[in-house]
Amino acid sequence: MESMTFVLFGATGDLAKRKIFPALYNLYLDQKIPKPISVIGLGRREISDQEFQKYVEQSLRSFSRQEAFDQEIIGPFLEAFRYSVLDAGNLEDFKKLENIVSQREKELNLPENRMFYLSVAPEYFSVIANHIKESGLGTTKGWKRLIIEKPFGHDLKSARELNSNLSKAFKEDEIYRIDHYLGKSMIQSLESLAFANPVLQTLLNNKHIANVQITASETVGVEERAGYYDKSGAIRDMFQNHMLQILMMTAMNMPKSISPDEIRKEKRKVMESVRPLKKEGVRQDVVRAQYKAGKINGEPVISYINEPGIKETSENDTFIAARLWIDNPFWEGVPFYIRTGKRMAAKSTRIVIEFKKTSKKEKAERLNPNLLIIEISPNENVSLLINSRNPISGKIEPAKISLFTEQMDIPEAYERLIYDAFRGDSTFFAHWKEVELSWKWVQPILEAFEENLAPLHYYLAGSTGPEAVHSLLREDGFHWWLDEDDVTEDRLESLSEDLLAQ
Ligand SMILES: NC(=O)C1=CN([C@@H]2O[C@H](COP(=O)(O)OP(=O)(O)OC[C@H]3O[C@@H](n4cnc5c(N)ncnc54)[C@H](OP(=O)(O)O)[C@@H]3O)[C@@H](O)[C@H]2O)C=CC1
Ligand SMILES: O=C1O[C@H](COP(=O)(O)O)[C@@H](O)[C@H](O)[C@H]1O
């Protein structure tokens, strides 16, 4: 890993405090950080280098995964940090920054490798990229990289504009678009799950699969982000990026080789094959909804429109579900159901793959279909629900084969992604083509919502979504699996018992 300068725009913000500093520190403790490194934090407020280092230390004490705060350990880490005041709109501030960066490169004898992390509001992305170019900061004898946070655009047009602006200063292979779901360990394991298990590889196609269900349910509400969320909704906040990324990772074919280019090429092919929607047809395949007051874990929860900062007339979606078809020879005829929502019964991100019942006997005896269950968070697990004969009763009973990964103290998504960016590995960052294809697919849905062509449904906080999301599957003869309060071991046990009782 080459030494570098890590330039952090938005160093006084929430994301830096909760995720970026702790990720850097954990990488440092795990010896996965370039040595030496220069870190330059930027924000508008006036603070000294010493105050900034204290601020970083506080963030580590509150949010670091590993607790190692002896002065001889934390001291050298903090010593790498400097701070400079910068207003994104002021080119002079960038020229001043260029001096600080160059001076530190000389002091530490660093090559001119510069990583720019934009942890600021999206309206600053283009101007910052432009000023990096104009000030000479981006003209180096080493490499330069840009890490950019979501949201990447607000719709197809704005995403294209943003990309065109960024590409005046950075080439595609220098841009690392963060989608933190791609940093989750189970998502990263999806491709090797099939690759390392020919038995699964053979089965994951339309000959054997009845449907695929992808869920990301959250118990939290809009939190302190009313201003952003009420304009974004579940469709832009979760669906266009995280959910479609999970779809691509789940449905892609085996890449020819495990390289960033090949993996991203296969992901792109999935998005190219997803059957486009027309805005007039959105209501048939998409369910949008908003939460009303309810209870979560026995505690009362207010409705979305009563959340601080949300207008009582808001028709924003806090839940979205869709039925998608992938028109390629592997997945032709297999519906993919995707849903995500806030204030639902449980926090759970998971993929459930339902196998077809192939024999008449299976159907006649109403046996449980086989399920491949991939739990992404908060638990990480892969399990297979199969039917087996109980040697004592002679009955066929569902049994679960679990492939537990020990719950070690595994690195957080931001740690993995920043480490990959340090090494120049872009596999688990979103390529522009993936982002563009996702916005293109989502665009008719945005238009249908705007033109009220799809009704807004309601669901109770603490539920599993509106009735319409259940009828969406019922129409096809399916139902959502593991849809009760929790996806725990107990839940799977009781599922087995329910099926047995049928
Ligand atoms: N927070 C989160 O959990 C997540 C955030 N994101 C994304 O990360 C980015 C940052 O979010 P977050 O940290 O929450 O935002 P905050 O509002 O907490 O912080 C914004 C940062 O930007 C700086 N800033 C504001 N205006 C300017 C300006 N004109 N010029 C230079 N710097 C400026 C602020 O500096 P100062 O305060 O000193 O003025 C502050 O450091 C956003 O794109 C957000 O969408 C993505 C996923 C999750
Ligand atoms: O990007 C986002 O993700 C979080 C959910 O992330 P998770 O890792 O906890 O599953 C979501 O709460 C937030 O609204 C969204 O912006």
Side-chain angles (χ1 to χ4, degrees), residues 9-19 42-46 83 86-89 117-122 124-125 128 149-151 180 225 228 242 414:
F9 294 83
T12 50
D14 177 69
L15 186 71
K17 181 175 66 187
R18 287 193 305 109
K19 299 288 181 188
L42 305 163
R44 287 173 308 178
R45 68 196 76 169
E46 303 259 357
Y83 181 82
L86 176 137
D87 189 322
Y117 195 131
L118 307 198
S119 178
V120 290
Y124 299 121
F125 293 167
I128 291 179
E149 274 294 338
K150 71 163 220 194
H180 81 276
R225 298 193 300 154
Y228 152 78
H242 307 319
Y414 274 87

Short mmCIF file of all heavy atoms in Angstrom, two decimals, residues 9-19 42-46 83 86-89 117-122 124-125 128 149-151 180 225 228 242 414, ligand 1:
data_model
loop_
_atom_site.label_atom_id
_atom_site.label_comp_id
_atom_site.label_asym_id
_atom_site.label_seq_id
_atom_site.Cartn_x
_atom_site.Cartn_y
_atom_site.Cartn_z
N PHE A 9 -12.94 16.32 3.03
CA PHE A 9 -13.90 17.43 3.00
C PHE A 9 -15.06 17.04 3.92
O PHE A 9 -15.58 15.93 3.82
CB PHE A 9 -14.42 17.66 1.58
CG PHE A 9 -13.35 18.13 0.62
CD1 PHE A 9 -12.50 17.23 -0.01
CD2 PHE A 9 -13.19 19.49 0.37
CE1 PHE A 9 -11.52 17.66 -0.88
CE2 PHE A 9 -12.20 19.94 -0.50
CZ PHE A 9 -11.36 19.03 -1.12
N GLY A 10 -15.48 17.96 4.78
CA GLY A 10 -16.58 17.63 5.70
C GLY A 10 -16.08 16.92 6.95
O GLY A 10 -16.80 16.11 7.54
N ALA A 11 -14.85 17.26 7.38
CA ALA A 11 -14.24 16.56 8.52
C ALA A 11 -14.90 16.90 9.84
O ALA A 11 -14.68 16.22 10.84
CB ALA A 11 -12.75 16.89 8.58
N THR A 12 -15.73 17.96 9.86
CA THR A 12 -16.40 18.32 11.12
C THR A 12 -17.84 17.80 11.13
O THR A 12 -18.62 18.15 12.00
CB THR A 12 -16.41 19.86 11.28
OG1 THR A 12 -16.91 20.43 10.06
CG2 THR A 12 -15.03 20.41 11.55
N GLY A 13 -18.18 16.99 10.14
CA GLY A 13 -19.57 16.52 10.01
C GLY A 13 -19.83 15.20 10.71
O GLY A 13 -18.93 14.56 11.27
N ASP A 14 -21.10 14.79 10.62
CA ASP A 14 -21.59 13.59 11.30
C ASP A 14 -20.95 12.30 10.78
O ASP A 14 -20.53 11.44 11.55
CB ASP A 14 -23.12 13.56 11.11
CG ASP A 14 -23.74 12.34 11.70
OD1 ASP A 14 -23.74 12.25 12.94
OD2 ASP A 14 -24.21 11.46 10.94
N LEU A 15 -20.87 12.19 9.47
CA LEU A 15 -20.34 10.94 8.89
C LEU A 15 -18.87 10.75 9.26
O LEU A 15 -18.44 9.64 9.60
CB LEU A 15 -20.51 10.96 7.36
CG LEU A 15 -20.13 9.66 6.67
CD1 LEU A 15 -21.15 8.57 6.98
CD2 LEU A 15 -20.02 9.85 5.17
N ALA A 16 -18.11 11.84 9.21
CA ALA A 16 -16.69 11.75 9.56
C ALA A 16 -16.55 11.27 11.00
O ALA A 16 -15.77 10.36 11.31
CB ALA A 16 -16.03 13.11 9.38
N LYS A 17 -17.35 11.87 11.89
CA LYS A 17 -17.26 11.55 13.31
C LYS A 17 -17.66 10.11 13.61
O LYS A 17 -16.97 9.39 14.33
CB LYS A 17 -18.20 12.52 14.06
CG LYS A 17 -18.22 12.35 15.56
CD LYS A 17 -19.08 13.42 16.21
CE LYS A 17 -20.53 13.25 15.82
NZ LYS A 17 -21.40 14.32 16.27
N ARG A 18 -18.79 9.67 13.01
CA ARG A 18 -19.32 8.35 13.38
C ARG A 18 -18.68 7.21 12.61
O ARG A 18 -18.61 6.08 13.10
CB ARG A 18 -20.83 8.31 13.17
CG ARG A 18 -21.61 9.12 14.21
CD ARG A 18 -23.09 8.84 14.19
NE ARG A 18 -23.68 9.05 12.89
CZ ARG A 18 -24.11 8.08 12.09
NH1 ARG A 18 -24.03 6.84 12.46
NH2 ARG A 18 -24.63 8.37 10.92
N LYS A 19 -18.25 7.48 11.37
CA LYS A 19 -17.79 6.38 10.52
C LYS A 19 -16.35 6.49 10.03
O LYS A 19 -15.60 5.51 10.06
CB LYS A 19 -18.71 6.26 9.28
CG LYS A 19 -20.15 5.96 9.59
CD LYS A 19 -20.33 4.54 10.05
CE LYS A 19 -21.77 4.22 10.34
NZ LYS A 19 -21.94 2.91 10.98
N LEU A 42 -11.02 19.09 6.60
CA LEU A 42 -11.50 20.40 6.14
C LEU A 42 -12.93 20.65 6.59
O LEU A 42 -13.76 19.73 6.62
CB LEU A 42 -11.48 20.44 4.60
CG LEU A 42 -10.14 20.12 3.95
CD1 LEU A 42 -10.32 19.78 2.49
CD2 LEU A 42 -9.19 21.29 4.12
N GLY A 43 -13.20 21.91 6.92
CA GLY A 43 -14.57 22.31 7.29
C GLY A 43 -14.61 23.82 7.27
O GLY A 43 -13.57 24.48 7.08
N ARG A 44 -15.78 24.39 7.49
CA ARG A 44 -15.85 25.85 7.46
C ARG A 44 -15.49 26.47 8.80
O ARG A 44 -15.04 27.59 8.89
CB ARG A 44 -17.25 26.31 7.05
CG ARG A 44 -17.53 26.09 5.58
CD ARG A 44 -18.95 26.39 5.27
NE ARG A 44 -19.83 25.65 6.16
CZ ARG A 44 -21.15 25.75 6.16
NH1 ARG A 44 -21.75 26.56 5.33
NH2 ARG A 44 -21.88 25.04 6.98
N ARG A 45 -15.75 25.70 9.87
CA ARG A 45 -15.51 26.31 11.18
C ARG A 45 -14.01 26.44 11.48
O ARG A 45 -13.21 25.63 10.98
CB ARG A 45 -16.25 25.56 12.28
CG ARG A 45 -15.74 24.19 12.57
CD ARG A 45 -16.73 23.40 13.35
NE ARG A 45 -17.85 22.92 12.53
CZ ARG A 45 -18.73 22.02 12.95
NH1 ARG A 45 -18.66 21.53 14.15
NH2 ARG A 45 -19.70 21.62 12.15
N GLU A 46 -13.67 27.46 12.27
CA GLU A 46 -12.27 27.76 12.57
C GLU A 46 -11.83 26.93 13.77
O GLU A 46 -12.26 27.19 14.89
CB GLU A 46 -12.12 29.24 12.96
CG GLU A 46 -12.61 30.22 11.92
CD GLU A 46 -11.45 30.82 11.11
OE1 GLU A 46 -10.30 30.48 11.43
OE2 GLU A 46 -11.73 31.58 10.18
N TYR A 83 -5.62 20.31 10.15
CA TYR A 83 -6.94 20.87 9.80
C TYR A 83 -6.77 22.17 9.02
O TYR A 83 -5.84 22.95 9.30
CB TYR A 83 -7.75 21.14 11.07
CG TYR A 83 -9.13 21.69 10.79
CD1 TYR A 83 -10.18 20.85 10.46
CD2 TYR A 83 -9.38 23.06 10.84
CE1 TYR A 83 -11.46 21.35 10.18
CE2 TYR A 83 -10.65 23.57 10.57
CZ TYR A 83 -11.68 22.70 10.24
OH TYR A 83 -12.93 23.20 9.97
N LEU A 86 -11.94 25.61 4.97
CA LEU A 86 -12.18 25.66 3.53
C LEU A 86 -13.66 25.83 3.25
O LEU A 86 -14.51 25.15 3.83
CB LEU A 86 -11.68 24.36 2.88
CG LEU A 86 -11.94 24.21 1.38
CD1 LEU A 86 -10.71 23.64 0.66
CD2 LEU A 86 -13.15 23.30 1.11
N ASP A 87 -13.95 26.78 2.35
CA ASP A 87 -15.32 26.90 1.85
C ASP A 87 -15.31 26.36 0.42
O ASP A 87 -14.51 26.81 -0.41
CB ASP A 87 -15.76 28.38 1.88
CG ASP A 87 -17.24 28.50 1.56
OD1 ASP A 87 -17.72 27.74 0.70
OD2 ASP A 87 -17.92 29.32 2.20
N ALA A 88 -16.19 25.41 0.16
CA ALA A 88 -16.17 24.72 -1.14
C ALA A 88 -16.22 25.69 -2.32
O ALA A 88 -15.64 25.43 -3.37
CB ALA A 88 -17.36 23.76 -1.21
N GLY A 89 -16.89 26.81 -2.13
CA GLY A 89 -17.08 27.75 -3.24
C GLY A 89 -15.89 28.69 -3.44
O GLY A 89 -15.89 29.48 -4.39
N TYR A 117 -11.74 12.73 -0.19
CA TYR A 117 -12.99 12.10 0.28
C TYR A 117 -14.02 13.20 0.48
O TYR A 117 -13.85 14.09 1.31
CB TYR A 117 -12.70 11.37 1.60
CG TYR A 117 -13.79 10.40 2.03
CD1 TYR A 117 -13.48 9.10 2.41
CD2 TYR A 117 -15.14 10.77 2.05
CE1 TYR A 117 -14.47 8.20 2.80
CE2 TYR A 117 -16.13 9.88 2.44
CZ TYR A 117 -15.79 8.59 2.82
OH TYR A 117 -16.77 7.72 3.20
N LEU A 118 -15.12 13.15 -0.29
CA LEU A 118 -16.15 14.20 -0.21
C LEU A 118 -17.27 13.79 0.75
O LEU A 118 -18.28 13.21 0.34
CB LEU A 118 -16.74 14.50 -1.60
CG LEU A 118 -15.79 14.83 -2.73
CD1 LEU A 118 -16.54 15.52 -3.87
CD2 LEU A 118 -14.64 15.70 -2.28
N SER A 119 -17.07 14.11 2.03
CA SER A 119 -18.11 13.80 3.02
C SER A 119 -18.90 15.09 3.30
O SER A 119 -18.96 15.57 4.44
CB SER A 119 -17.46 13.25 4.28
OG SER A 119 -18.43 12.99 5.24
N VAL A 120 -19.44 15.64 2.24
CA VAL A 120 -20.20 16.90 2.32
C VAL A 120 -21.51 16.73 1.57
O VAL A 120 -21.71 15.75 0.86
CB VAL A 120 -19.42 18.07 1.66
CG1 VAL A 120 -18.20 18.47 2.47
CG2 VAL A 120 -19.01 17.71 0.24
N ALA A 121 -22.38 17.73 1.70
CA ALA A 121 -23.68 17.64 1.00
C ALA A 121 -23.46 17.59 -0.52
O ALA A 121 -22.50 18.17 -1.03
CB ALA A 121 -24.52 18.86 1.38
N PRO A 122 -24.37 16.88 -1.22
CA PRO A 122 -24.16 16.64 -2.66
C PRO A 122 -24.07 17.90 -3.51
O PRO A 122 -23.43 17.87 -4.56
CB PRO A 122 -25.38 15.81 -3.06
CG PRO A 122 -26.30 15.82 -1.91
CD PRO A 122 -25.53 16.18 -0.70
N TYR A 124 -22.22 20.22 -3.19
CA TYR A 124 -20.83 20.67 -3.29
C TYR A 124 -19.94 19.75 -4.13
O TYR A 124 -18.78 20.05 -4.37
CB TYR A 124 -20.23 20.80 -1.89
CG TYR A 124 -20.95 21.80 -1.02
CD1 TYR A 124 -21.52 21.42 0.19
CD2 TYR A 124 -21.09 23.13 -1.42
CE1 TYR A 124 -22.20 22.33 0.98
CE2 TYR A 124 -21.77 24.05 -0.63
CZ TYR A 124 -22.32 23.64 0.56
OH TYR A 124 -22.99 24.55 1.33
N PHE A 125 -20.49 18.59 -4.55
CA PHE A 125 -19.63 17.61 -5.23
C PHE A 125 -18.97 18.22 -6.48
O PHE A 125 -17.76 18.11 -6.67
CB PHE A 125 -20.43 16.36 -5.66
CG PHE A 125 -20.94 15.51 -4.52
CD1 PHE A 125 -21.90 14.52 -4.75
CD2 PHE A 125 -20.47 15.67 -3.22
CE1 PHE A 125 -22.37 13.71 -3.72
CE2 PHE A 125 -20.94 14.87 -2.17
CZ PHE A 125 -21.90 13.89 -2.43
N ILE A 128 -16.45 21.20 -5.79
CA ILE A 128 -15.19 20.73 -5.18
C ILE A 128 -14.30 20.05 -6.22
O ILE A 128 -13.10 20.34 -6.33
CB ILE A 128 -15.47 19.80 -3.97
CG1 ILE A 128 -16.10 20.61 -2.82
CG2 ILE A 128 -14.19 19.13 -3.50
CD1 ILE A 128 -16.45 19.80 -1.58
N GLU A 149 -19.61 10.24 -1.55
CA GLU A 149 -20.72 9.65 -0.79
C GLU A 149 -22.01 9.75 -1.60
O GLU A 149 -22.10 10.51 -2.55
CB GLU A 149 -20.88 10.43 0.52
CG GLU A 149 -19.99 9.94 1.65
CD GLU A 149 -20.34 8.53 2.10
OE1 GLU A 149 -21.48 8.08 1.87
OE2 GLU A 149 -19.47 7.88 2.69
N LYS A 150 -23.00 9.03 -1.18
CA LYS A 150 -24.32 9.19 -1.80
C LYS A 150 -25.00 10.43 -1.21
O LYS A 150 -24.58 10.87 -0.13
CB LYS A 150 -25.15 7.95 -1.58
CG LYS A 150 -25.61 7.75 -0.15
CD LYS A 150 -26.72 6.79 -0.07
CE LYS A 150 -27.71 7.28 0.94
NZ LYS A 150 -28.68 6.39 1.39
N PRO A 151 -26.00 11.04 -1.76
CA PRO A 151 -26.68 10.54 -2.96
C PRO A 151 -25.96 10.99 -4.23
O PRO A 151 -25.45 12.10 -4.29
CB PRO A 151 -28.04 11.22 -2.86
CG PRO A 151 -27.81 12.46 -2.07
CD PRO A 151 -26.67 12.18 -1.15
N HIS A 180 -22.51 1.85 0.96
CA HIS A 180 -21.97 1.09 2.10
C HIS A 180 -22.51 -0.33 2.18
O HIS A 180 -21.92 -1.18 2.83
CB HIS A 180 -22.14 1.86 3.43
CG HIS A 180 -23.50 1.76 4.04
ND1 HIS A 180 -24.55 2.56 3.68
CD2 HIS A 180 -23.99 0.94 5.00
CE1 HIS A 180 -25.61 2.23 4.40
NE2 HIS A 180 -25.30 1.26 5.22
N ARG A 225 -33.05 13.52 10.08
CA ARG A 225 -32.75 13.88 8.69
C ARG A 225 -33.99 14.27 7.90
O ARG A 225 -34.09 14.00 6.70
CB ARG A 225 -32.04 12.71 8.03
CG ARG A 225 -30.70 12.40 8.70
CD ARG A 225 -29.88 11.47 7.86
NE ARG A 225 -30.57 10.21 7.64
CZ ARG A 225 -30.36 9.42 6.60
NH1 ARG A 225 -29.50 9.75 5.67
NH2 ARG A 225 -31.01 8.29 6.48
N TYR A 228 -33.62 16.13 4.46
CA TYR A 228 -33.13 15.29 3.36
C TYR A 228 -34.17 14.21 3.00
O TYR A 228 -34.54 14.04 1.86
CB TYR A 228 -31.80 14.64 3.77
CG TYR A 228 -31.52 13.32 3.11
CD1 TYR A 228 -31.07 13.26 1.80
CD2 TYR A 228 -31.73 12.11 3.79
CE1 TYR A 228 -30.83 12.04 1.18
CE2 TYR A 228 -31.49 10.89 3.19
CZ TYR A 228 -31.03 10.87 1.87
OH TYR A 228 -30.81 9.66 1.26
N HIS A 242 -28.91 0.96 -2.66
CA HIS A 242 -28.59 -0.26 -1.93
C HIS A 242 -29.35 -1.50 -2.43
O HIS A 242 -28.78 -2.56 -2.61
CB HIS A 242 -28.88 -0.09 -0.43
CG HIS A 242 -28.23 1.11 0.18
ND1 HIS A 242 -26.95 1.51 -0.13
CD2 HIS A 242 -28.68 2.02 1.09
CE1 HIS A 242 -26.65 2.60 0.57
NE2 HIS A 242 -27.69 2.92 1.30
N TYR A 414 -17.35 0.61 6.32
CA TYR A 414 -16.47 1.74 5.95
C TYR A 414 -14.99 1.36 6.04
O TYR A 414 -14.17 1.84 5.28
CB TYR A 414 -16.77 2.97 6.81
CG TYR A 414 -17.90 3.78 6.21
CD1 TYR A 414 -19.22 3.50 6.50
CD2 TYR A 414 -17.63 4.81 5.32
CE1 TYR A 414 -20.26 4.23 5.93
CE2 TYR A 414 -18.66 5.55 4.75
CZ TYR A 414 -19.96 5.26 5.05
OH TYR A 414 -20.97 5.97 4.47
N1 LIG B 1 -24.30 10.96 8.22
C1 LIG B 1 -24.55 9.78 7.68
O1 LIG B 1 -24.83 8.77 8.35
C2 LIG B 1 -24.49 9.60 6.19
C3 LIG B 1 -24.12 10.65 5.37
N2 LIG B 1 -24.01 10.44 4.02
C4 LIG B 1 -23.57 11.52 3.13
O2 LIG B 1 -22.31 12.01 3.57
C5 LIG B 1 -22.21 13.39 3.31
C6 LIG B 1 -21.93 14.13 4.62
O3 LIG B 1 -22.98 13.93 5.52
P1 LIG B 1 -22.94 14.39 7.04
O4 LIG B 1 -21.59 14.20 7.63
O5 LIG B 1 -24.08 13.72 7.68
O6 LIG B 1 -23.24 15.96 6.93
P2 LIG B 1 -23.10 17.08 8.05
O7 LIG B 1 -24.11 18.10 7.74
O8 LIG B 1 -23.05 16.50 9.41
O9 LIG B 1 -21.64 17.69 7.77
C7 LIG B 1 -21.37 18.46 6.63
C8 LIG B 1 -19.91 18.80 6.57
O10 LIG B 1 -19.73 19.61 5.41
C9 LIG B 1 -19.07 20.81 5.78
N3 LIG B 1 -19.55 21.89 4.93
C10 LIG B 1 -20.81 22.40 4.89
N4 LIG B 1 -20.87 23.40 3.99
C11 LIG B 1 -19.64 23.51 3.46
C12 LIG B 1 -19.07 24.36 2.49
N5 LIG B 1 -19.77 25.33 1.88
N6 LIG B 1 -17.77 24.20 2.18
C13 LIG B 1 -17.03 23.25 2.79
N7 LIG B 1 -17.50 22.41 3.72
C14 LIG B 1 -18.79 22.54 4.05
C15 LIG B 1 -19.42 21.03 7.23
O11 LIG B 1 -18.44 21.85 7.81
P3 LIG B 1 -18.79 22.92 8.95
O12 LIG B 1 -19.85 22.28 9.80
O13 LIG B 1 -17.52 23.15 9.65
O14 LIG B 1 -19.31 24.09 8.23
C16 LIG B 1 -19.39 19.60 7.76
O15 LIG B 1 -18.07 19.22 8.02
C17 LIG B 1 -23.52 13.78 2.64
O16 LIG B 1 -23.36 13.67 1.25
C18 LIG B 1 -24.50 12.73 3.13
O17 LIG B 1 -25.57 12.55 2.23
C19 LIG B 1 -24.24 9.20 3.46
C20 LIG B 1 -24.63 8.14 4.22
C21 LIG B 1 -24.82 8.26 5.64
#
